[in-house]
């Protein structure tokens, strides 16, 4: 599908598995036209959660039916707890009951939880079925819907069971963000500012000036923020699809953040984007504490994250002190860890992150204690 006026097309270059990410307003209404060429039979199972389906399900159904595409909804409960073995088994069984075959298509219609869950189900359904991402949160539009990472959580950690399975198409409709709660917008913004912090100082500076406009959903600012984020992710994914090198930089803040999520129970107390915001601030301050990054740059990163209303300290995440040793144990289960050694994404300066291997667990624990952990 060629991009229409006001719609940005960003291609993820992966050879014969390349696909387009379309960013703009009104894309849900054009979903039938965009998806029809991908369908061998005019039908799709749409995996969504109760909240998103209640708000936008009728609009998507109407768009698909206008193109002659039958819609089979598979609706799940909202929230991170759905992204589990139990949730995967439930979705897989319901897809099997629909008697989809490998020539059919699954549509993931929701935020990151739905995208990860539906994408993983697509990866393993009859050894692989195509899927389309229609992300409905800012976080999903700029991060989780692009790049083919799919996964579920386990009691031992976040996203530890999954597969790389690229979508055939991503439709990032900016209109749908109008119904997104402010807290969810802030969570998405954490992933937006991440791109500036890890590799584009100019974008970081732009966000320092325009971040409030992005959070206020001003159309031009929002469109630029989403498109630039997707451009950066597409470039990195095309270079390093399975995270053997540069793609690991996209995990800036996630080693700290995932540990905080594990300790707070993957629930409403700490949303993923909030954990990433705190994790990035901690990563910059840890970099400074290790003499890797100027302290004034770490302070500037922290201030920019805080300006978006995101937590930047352990005390803001939980009034009850975290145990430093428990957080470090969670970090040892991180997917980037190798041979029992901690791997962090740290920073040399604003806009220049790097992969730090064999990080001393004692240094990490001491830093966390300085930050207020017990």
């Amino acid at each position: 599908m060629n991009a229409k006026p006001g719609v940005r097309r960003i291609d993820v270059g992966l050879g014969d598995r390349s696909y387009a990410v379309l960013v703009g307003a009104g894309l849900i209404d054009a979903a039938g036209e965009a998806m029809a060429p991908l369908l061998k039979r005019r039908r799709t199972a749409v995996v969504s959660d109760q909240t998103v389906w209640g708000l936008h399900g009728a609009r998507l159904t109407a768009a698909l039916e206008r193109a002659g595409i039958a819609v089979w909804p598979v609706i799940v409960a909202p929230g991170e707890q759905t992204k589990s073995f139990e949730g995967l088994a439930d979705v897989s069984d319901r897809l099997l009951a629909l008697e989809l075959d490998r020539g059919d298509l699954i549509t993931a219609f929701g935020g990151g939880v739905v995208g990860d869950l539906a994408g993983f189900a697509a990866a393993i359904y009859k050894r692989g079925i195509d899927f389309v991402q229609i992300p409905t949160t800012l976080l999903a539009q700029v991060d989780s819907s692009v790049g083919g990472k799919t996964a579920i959580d386990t009691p031992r950690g976040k996203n530890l069971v999954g597969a790389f399975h690229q979508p055939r198409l991503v439709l990032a409709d900016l209109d749908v963000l109008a119904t997104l709660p402010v807290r969810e917008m802030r969570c998405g913004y954490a992933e937006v500012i991440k791109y500036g912090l890890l590799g584009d100082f100019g974008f970081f500076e732009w966000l320092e000036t325009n971040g409030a406009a992005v959070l206020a959903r001003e159309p031009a600012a929002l469109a630029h923020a989403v498109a630039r984020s997707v451009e950066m992710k597409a470039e990195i994914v095309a270079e390093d699809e399975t995270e053997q090198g540069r793609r690991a930089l996209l995990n800036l803040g996630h080693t700290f953040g995932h540990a905080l999520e594990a300790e707070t129970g993957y629930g409403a107390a700490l949303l993923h984007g909030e954990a990433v915001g705190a994790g990035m601030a901690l990563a910059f301050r840890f970099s400074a504490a290790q003499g890797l990054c100027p302290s004034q740059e770490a302070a500037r990163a922290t201030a920019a994250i805080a300006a978006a209303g995101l937590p930047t300290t352990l005390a803001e995440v939980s009034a009850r002190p975290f145990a430093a040793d428990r957080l470090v144990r969670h970090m040892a289960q991180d997917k980037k860890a190798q041979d029992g050694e901690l791997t962090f994404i740290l920073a040399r300066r604003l806009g220049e992150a790097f992969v730090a291997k064999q990080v001393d667990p004692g240094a990490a624990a001491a830093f966390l204690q300085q930050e207020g952990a017990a």
Side-chain angles (χ1 to χ4, degrees):
M1 177 182 178
N2 293 322
K4 295 182 178 181
V7 175
R8 289 282 303 279
R9 175 180 173 131
I10 299 145
D11 291 304
V12 183
L14 292 169
D16 60 2
R17 293 176 299 110
S18 297
Y19 56 93
V21 181
L22 301 183
V23 178
L27 289 173
I28 290 176
D29 300 316
E33 175 188 351
M35 290 171 56
L38 305 176
L39 294 166
K40 294 179 180 177
R41 293 189 287 183
R42 292 291 179 102
R43 63 187 195 180
T44 182
V46 179
V47 180
S48 188
D49 70 36
Q50 293 158 350
T51 301
V52 171
W53 193 251
L55 289 168
H56 308 293
R59 181 181 166 205
L60 178 62
T61 299
L64 295 175
E65 289 181 344
R66 281 196 300 272
I69 300 170
V71 177
W72 297 340
V74 177
I75 310 304
V76 301
E80 190 80 23
Q81 70 279 358
T82 298
K83 212 176 83 172
S84 61
F85 276 112
E86 294 78 12
L88 178 65
D90 175 60
V91 167
S92 297
D93 184 64
R94 290 156 73 184
L95 293 172
L96 288 165
L98 294 174
E99 300 183 352
L100 297 178
D101 64 35
R102 291 171 70 180
D104 288 322
L105 188 75
I106 292 171
T107 301
F109 185 47
V113 167
V114 165
D116 279 1
L117 177 63
F120 189 28
I124 62 176
Y125 181 89
K126 296 185 178 179
R127 298 193 175 94
I129 185 173
D130 286 340
F131 81 115
V132 165
Q133 289 267 23
I134 306 181
T136 60
T137 66
L138 179 59
L139 190 152
Q141 290 186 359
V142 302
D143 186 64
S144 59
S145 68
V146 180
K149 277 188 175 182
T150 69
I152 58 171
D153 302 335
T154 81
R156 295 186 182 274
K158 188 177 177 71
N159 295 332
L160 293 181
V161 176
F164 287 97
H165 188 56
Q166 300 292 343
R168 294 291 307 280
L169 174 70
V170 180
L171 301 176
D173 187 340
L174 302 178
D175 284 346
V176 79
L177 301 180
T179 60
L180 199 65
V182 171
R183 188 181 182 193
E184 293 283 357
M185 280 294 295
R186 290 174 179 154
C187 286
Y189 186 82
E191 296 285 359
V192 172
I193 199 170
K194 177 188 76 176
Y195 291 102
L197 290 169
L198 71 86
D200 187 343
F201 178 63
F203 185 43
F204 172 77
E205 287 188 306
W206 183 88
L207 288 168
E208 284 185 307
T209 302
N210 296 281
V214 175
L215 288 165
R217 294 168 248 221
E218 293 183 11
L222 185 59
H224 177 69
V226 173
R228 181 60 189 138
S229 299
V230 172
E231 282 176 347
M232 288 189 68
K233 181 151 194 186
E235 174 191 331
I236 292 170
V237 168
E239 177 185 320
D240 178 24
E241 180 181 3
T242 57
E243 204 172 286
Q244 302 303 306
R246 188 181 174 207
R247 186 170 181 176
L249 297 178
L250 295 170
N251 289 303
L252 175 64
H254 286 59
T255 304
F256 284 107
H258 284 169
L260 295 174
E261 285 184 278
E263 281 296 282
T264 53
Y266 300 115
L270 182 68
L271 301 182
H272 177 64
E274 294 166 340
V276 169
M280 289 189 296
L282 289 165
F284 264 85
R285 293 201 295 274
F286 184 52
S287 299
Q290 296 298 297
L292 301 168
C293 173
S295 59
Q296 63 268 30
E297 300 226 346
R300 187 173 170 186
T302 297
I305 295 164
L310 292 161
T312 60
T313 66
L314 297 180
E316 288 176 278
V317 171
S318 173
R320 181 178 178 181
F322 291 97
D325 60 336
R326 287 180 58 87
L327 291 174
V328 172
R329 281 202 298 273
H330 287 302
M331 293 172 188
Q333 294 297 315
D334 186 85
K335 298 182 296 301
K336 298 183 296 301
Q338 294 181 343
D339 299 324
E341 301 282 356
L342 299 182
T343 298
F344 283 13
I345 309 304
L346 300 178
R348 293 190 176 92
R349 59 183 57 88
L350 292 165
E352 188 179 334
F354 70 100
V355 180
K357 297 186 177 181
Q358 297 181 327
V359 174
D360 178 12
F367 166 74
L368 288 166
Q369 287 170 343
Q370 291 170 3
E371 290 281 326

